[in-house]
Amino acid sequence: MKINEAIRFEENVACTLSDGTVLRSDVYRPNDEGNYPVLMIRLPYDKKTPRYFDEYLEVPRMVEAGYVVILQDVRGRFASEGDYYPFIHEGSDGYESVEWAAKLPYANGNVGLFGMSYHGYTQLAAAVEKPPSLKAIAPVMTMADPWEDMLNGKNGASGVGNFETWTLGSIVSDQLKRRNDPKHAKVQNYITNMVEWLSYAPANDWPPMKDLDPKSFFFDVMHEKMDPDYITKMQLNEKLHNVEIPALFMGGWFDSLLKPTLKAYNNYNGPRMLWIGPWTHEEMSGRAGEKFFEHAAKNIGVDQITDPTEIHIKWFDKWLKDKPMPIEKNIHLYRMGQAKWEAYEEWPPTSVKKELFLYSEGESQTRDGDGQLLDAPAMSQTTSQLKLDPANPVPTRGGGVLIAGHQSGMFEIGDIQDRKDVLVYTGLTLDKNLNMLGTVTASIWVSSPTSLMDLAIRLSDVEPSGNVYPIMDTYHRAKVSEIGQPFCIPVDVGHTAYQLKKGHRLRVDIAASNAPLYDVNLNTGQTTKTASSGKVAVEHVYHGGAFSSKIVLPVTEK
């Protein structure tokens, strides 16, 4: 990290909390005797990491704009004292850290918080506590309920791949190192082989963590034995209704936390701004897998803001310096396929609902099957068999993921749609562009021979060449009350701003697994989270008649 002469740097400045725990921060500030507002990031991933100095946001530019910028290791991480347990201390520690920062001799009393992912959560947790000096926050690609969105899984299914990758790849090394545990020397070997370890079952007996740190919070989560008070403390969505501190939310169309980010945004009571670009959790360059989206990294938005750093500076200038806000509207969305940004007054923007009904004579397996998307439901009822073989699950590819060996974004998936355990429904070739803007939903009629029913739903863009690229996907697990009887699963498939071009086709595929992102249904009432052996089973997806499965698209003219 190169620090210019206009910036004064102080390393590991101590913040002593009320319980005596010392948190340490690196401070970057203008090299003069003035007093400035503070921008702080509180993170568990080592404040010394270059990414947090000049990659995600550029700290030198924030200092040059007239801010004291503080990077703080949270409790129990790297240079800070205390014991780390995910999420539960971030509200109270955040309150005290904000008030400490406001009273620093070079601060003017106004504090803003920024950061993405976990350190987006640290902002929301602090905002819920309402520290008097906190004037604005900027949570990016984050969540307000990590128990549901990260630790215990979404819609009943556990995102074990994400959680294993996060714990082993980002957390356990420092935990062992600060205890002088000799097992620290083994961590890198496990990380090197993590892709293979992700398929191990049962996940709640995962050998890498069982060997490295058998008393880790990892097993509290996997065995669902976390203290109920901890779970309650980390759940913020309902509490956000009472927060009035201004918040800048940012998300990515291919970010694994887009749904949680939008849920937090919708629950937030204070002044809000929202930006969503064609970004992944890993980068905001415009590259998303095998596709690249222009105008996504520089000169972004209808207001042609330089980049995300500049958006943050203008946001905090408004709320910490009382400067005019040059960005007029509060919603800024990148329209994929159109290579442009548009600004709106509300999320989701106004659209027309277009229903497309799944149809098949019962042979919708693979993209060469007879599955279709129709504008009206078929009069007669049919079913397609959906096979689930736990020993050969449908693989994860693209979308919004945070697991070892996998990248987020758009990757060709035609070979996956050639599998006989994937149902495929394809629309007609478009005679004009189809613009989707907002939230895609589905109502899928199914039946299951076992007590659990898993449903992976994906929308994709079929190009004239035949190549297929995913637009969005979701995963849902339902408990079955009447085995073998049809029931409807309503699903929010995802959010998008995507144009399918004239000559392309829309496709929906349905599977009963998505591994290693989610634990696999073993067709025994258990999953690979808690067991290892299973059996092959055949579920059913219904079309037409009284059980007309459908996808509902938010469509706009432009």
Side-chain angles (χ1 to χ4, degrees):
M1 295 184 297
K2 186 175 181 180
I3 303 174
N4 63 50
E5 294 181 355
I7 297 176
R8 188 175 296 181
F9 172 62
E10 296 179 65
E11 186 175 18
N12 285 331
V13 178
C15 165
T16 304
L17 303 178
S18 58
D19 65 358
T21 301
V22 176
L23 307 184
R24 293 186 173 85
S25 306
D26 286 352
V27 178
Y28 303 84
R29 59 189 177 93
N31 192 13
D32 57 36
E33 302 308 315
N35 295 87
Y36 298 92
V38 173
L39 300 181
M40 175 186 286
I41 182 172
R42 304 188 62 254
L43 70 159
Y45 305 132
D46 191 359
K47 63 185 183 299
K48 304 292 186 187
T49 305
R51 173 175 173 79
Y52 305 113
F53 179 77
D54 60 8
E55 292 180 24
Y56 154 55
L57 295 181
E58 297 181 34
V59 169
R61 286 171 56 197
M62 297 163 79
V63 176
E64 291 165 5
Y67 290 95
V68 175
V69 182
I70 298 177
L71 281 61
Q72 183 183 76
D73 292 324
V74 300
R75 177 188 293 257
R77 299 295 290 167
F78 295 92
S80 290
E81 296 177 356
D83 296 322
Y84 177 73
Y85 202 100
F87 303 107
I88 64 170
H89 298 292
E90 307 309 349
S92 56
D93 286 0
Y95 182 106
E96 293 195 47
S97 295
V98 165
E99 294 307 306
W100 163 80
K103 296 177 176 63
L104 290 168
Y106 34 78
N108 72 358
N110 293 332
V111 178
L113 294 173
F114 70 100
M116 68 177 297
S117 198
Y118 188 105
H119 27 298
Y121 176 87
T122 64
Q123 300 173 63
L124 296 173
V128 164
E129 300 296 324
K130 302 179 181 178
S133 303
L134 184 59
K135 306 303 180 183
I137 62 176
V140 173
M141 299 185 189
T142 192
M143 59 202 147
D145 186 352
W147 178 248
E148 176 183 338
D149 297 324
M150 175 182 175
L151 301 180
N152 194 44
K154 305 170 186 176
N155 299 320
S158 293
V160 292
N162 281 346
F163 186 51
E164 289 170 341
T165 298
W166 179 72
T167 306
L168 179 57
S170 300
I171 301 299
V172 73
S173 179
D174 180 62
Q175 299 297 94
L176 297 174
K177 191 174 182 179
R178 65 194 292 124
R179 298 200 302 252
N180 295 314
D181 192 321
K183 290 181 179 178
H184 177 264
K186 296 183 177 183
V187 173
Q188 188 54 52
N189 182 60
Y190 280 122
I191 291 175
T192 300
N193 297 288
M194 197 188 307
V195 174
E196 288 76 19
W197 282 115
L198 291 179
S199 61
Y200 181 88
N204 66 358
D205 195 33
W206 203 43
M209 288 304 298
K210 192 173 183 180
D211 177 27
L212 295 171
D213 195 1
K215 295 183 179 180
S216 170
F217 64 83
F218 176 88
F219 295 103
D220 294 348
V221 173
M222 284 296 191
H223 291 280
E224 299 184 23
K225 292 183 178 179
M226 184 178 281
D227 187 325
D229 290 341
Y230 287 1
I231 297 173
T232 300
K233 183 178 289 188
M234 70 174 66
Q235 292 173 322
L236 303 180
N237 270 309
E238 292 302 313
K239 302 171 186 176
L240 296 180
H241 294 308
N242 300 316
V243 179
E244 299 180 351
I245 298 165
L248 166 66
F249 289 86
M250 299 183 77
W253 294 127
F254 303 103
D255 175 41
S256 62
L257 296 177
L258 177 59
K259 285 183 180 179
T261 297
L262 285 172
K263 187 173 182 179
Y265 170 83
N266 288 330
N267 284 322
Y268 203 83
N269 186 55
R272 304 169 297 173
M273 181 176 282
L274 174 67
W275 290 70
I276 307 178
W279 304 318
T280 72
H281 205 75
E282 296 84 4
E283 62 178 295
M284 302 171 77
S285 68
R287 185 183 73 87
E290 295 171 359
K291 297 291 186 178
F292 183 82
F293 298 92
E294 297 178 348
H295 313 304
K298 297 290 183 182
N299 301 319
I300 59 180
V302 296
D303 301 285
Q304 294 288 284
I305 307 302
T306 304
D307 56 16
T309 298
E310 188 70 16
I311 294 172
H312 279 70
I313 290 171
K314 292 185 182 301
W315 176 256
F316 288 119
D317 279 354
K318 160 71 175 175
W319 300 106
L320 276 69
K321 295 184 177 182
D322 199 27
K323 288 187 176 183
M325 169 58 77
I327 305 172
E328 291 187 9
K329 293 186 178 180
N330 286 325
I331 310 295
H332 302 263
L333 308 176
Y334 184 92
R335 300 292 295 267
M336 295 179 289
Q338 301 179 49
K340 68 177 184 179
W341 290 84
E342 288 190 357
Y344 302 89
E345 298 291 350
E346 60 182 2
W347 170 264
T350 302
S351 62
V352 175
K353 303 304 180 185
K354 178 179 177 62
E355 296 182 330
L356 291 175
F357 294 86
L358 277 56
Y359 175 74
S360 167
E361 290 293 337
E363 302 294 333
S364 58
Q365 298 82 4
T366 82
R367 59 177 164 174
D368 293 325
D370 68 356
Q372 301 176 51
L373 295 174
L374 304 179
D375 289 331
M379 296 299 292
S380 60
Q381 177 195 308
T382 60
T383 63
S384 285
Q385 294 185 345
L386 179 59
K387 179 182 177 181
L388 171 55
D389 181 356
N392 183 28
V394 176
T396 299
R397 186 180 300 161
V401 297
L402 277 174
I403 53 177
H406 295 71
Q407 296 183 57
S408 296
M410 302 182 76
F411 292 89
E412 215 285 326
I413 57 170
D415 59 319
I416 292 178
Q417 294 178 344
D418 286 333
R419 291 175 58 113
K420 294 187 182 298
D421 54 356
V422 177
L423 306 184
V424 181
Y425 304 87
T426 307
L428 296 174
T429 300
L430 296 172
D431 57 9
K432 63 178 181 178
N433 295 337
L434 175 65
N435 300 305
M436 295 187 291
L437 179 61
T439 303
V440 175
T441 62
S443 299
I444 308 297
W445 283 90
V446 298
S447 64
S448 172
T450 68
S451 60
L452 291 179
M453 173 77 195
D454 282 26
L455 208 60
I457 304 173
R458 173 166 47 202
L459 266 65
S460 54
D461 182 349
V462 185
E463 299 179 344
S465 64
N467 288 338
V468 191
Y469 290 92
I471 302 169
M472 67 175 71
D473 64 86
T474 192
Y475 200 86
H476 191 94
R477 175 171 294 148
K479 293 183 178 179
V480 179
S481 57
E482 295 184 73
I483 290 175
Q485 296 300 307
F487 67 100
C488 184
I489 298 181
V491 181
D492 280 353
V493 182
H495 314 287
T496 195
Y498 191 92
Q499 181 185 79
L500 280 93
K501 300 289 189 182
K502 177 182 177 180
H504 290 222
R505 291 175 292 164
L506 179 69
R507 179 172 286 167
V508 174
D509 69 68
I510 297 177
S513 54
N514 181 358
L517 181 55
Y518 294 100
D519 55 333
V520 179
N521 184 350
L522 296 173
N523 300 315
T524 61
Q526 293 182 290
T527 76
T528 51
K529 181 178 179 180
T530 59
S532 58
S533 60
K535 60 184 180 181
V536 177
V538 175
E539 302 165 345
H540 289 85
V541 172
Y542 293 74
H543 337 93
F547 306 131
S548 295
S549 297
K550 64 182 179 180
I551 297 286
V552 183
L553 309 178
V555 174
T556 61
E557 284 295 320
K558 297 181 180 179

